[in-house]
Structure formats: structure tokens, C-alpha cells
Amino acid sequence: QVQLVESGGGLVQTGGSLRLSCTGSGFSFSTNRIDWYRQAPGKERELVAASPNPNNAIIYVDSAKGRFTLSRDNAKNTLYLQMNNLKPDDTAVYYCTVRLWPTDYWGPGTQVTVSS
């Protein structure tokens, strides 16, 4: 059974930091691309970052470049999203997902709230 679980969200002030974790099970974590998405209230879900493989990380959101970084610990089946210098616009539910064709699997999400 494929599962993804996010953790590490919370309430933080502007300029603060959080490290989100995405832990997977039931599939080959080390050989699959894992993506981070976020969805803010009233907005569409957007792709934030992707880890196509252990040696590659891509930040897609322009406003997050230079502030967000990805790292993987394949021994722990965990992908981390380090978020620094957080801004109120980063407030959203953050999800990780893996595509095991033809199905996309999602975690339940973790709430990040940045207060001004």
C-alpha cells in the first residue's frame, strides 16, 4: 500500500523557517520523482519543487528560489523541503505526491501559516 505522510508544518512569523518532511512507504522511494505542491485558500494547487532523483532538485516557484531547498534521505524514505525567510504568501497546505503510473498518490498535507 502506497502512503505519503507530510509533517513539519506550523505557525511561524514572517522571516522564520520551517522544514517539511515527506515520508513514503509501499514503493521504491529512492527511484521515483517526488513533488511538493501547495494550495493556498481560494487558489489552485501549484507545484513548488520536485526531486526527480537523489541528485537533482528543482524549485519551480520563482518567489521560492533562493529561500527553499530540497534534500532527500533515501535511507529514511524521506524528502525534506527547507523553507527559509518565510512570507505570508507562503501560507498554504503543502502536499507531497508521487506518480506511479497511472496513479498519482498524495499525502494528506501539512498546514503552513506565516503571520505578518
Side-chain angles (χ1 to χ4, degrees):
Q1 182 181 1
V2 175
Q3 284 191 324
L4 292 168
V5 178
E6 304 92 342
S7 62
L11 173 63
V12 65
Q13 291 185 336
T14 296
S17 297
L18 287 172
R19 189 177 76 160
L20 305 185
S21 300
C22 169
T23 301
S25 61
F27 66 99
S28 177
F29 190 89
S30 64
T31 59
N32 279 281
R33 168 176 168 151
I34 311 292
D35 294 345
W36 279 103
Y37 280 77
R38 68 184 181 186
Q39 187 166 22
K43 295 185 178 180
E44 293 187 355
R45 195 170 293 190
E46 67 174 345
L47 176 62
V48 177
S51 178
N53 57 64
N55 298 316
N56 195 13
I58 305 169
I59 304 297
Y60 284 91
V61 177
D62 286 341
S63 64
K65 293 178 180 178
R67 299 189 296 122
F68 291 9
T69 57
L70 282 175
S71 61
R72 291 174 79 132
D73 186 340
N74 287 324
K76 296 182 178 180
N77 284 356
T78 300
L79 178 69
Y80 301 100
L81 180 65
Q82 178 68 43
M83 307 188 297
N84 298 326
N85 192 21
L86 283 162
K87 304 176 181 181
D89 284 348
D90 296 318
T91 295
V93 179
Y94 285 71
Y95 303 88
C96 60
T97 181
V98 62
R99 171 165 290 181
L100 303 175
W101 191 88
T103 303
D104 291 337
Y105 294 88
W106 295 80
T110 186
Q111 176 72 47
V112 171
T113 302
V114 185
S115 64
S116 58

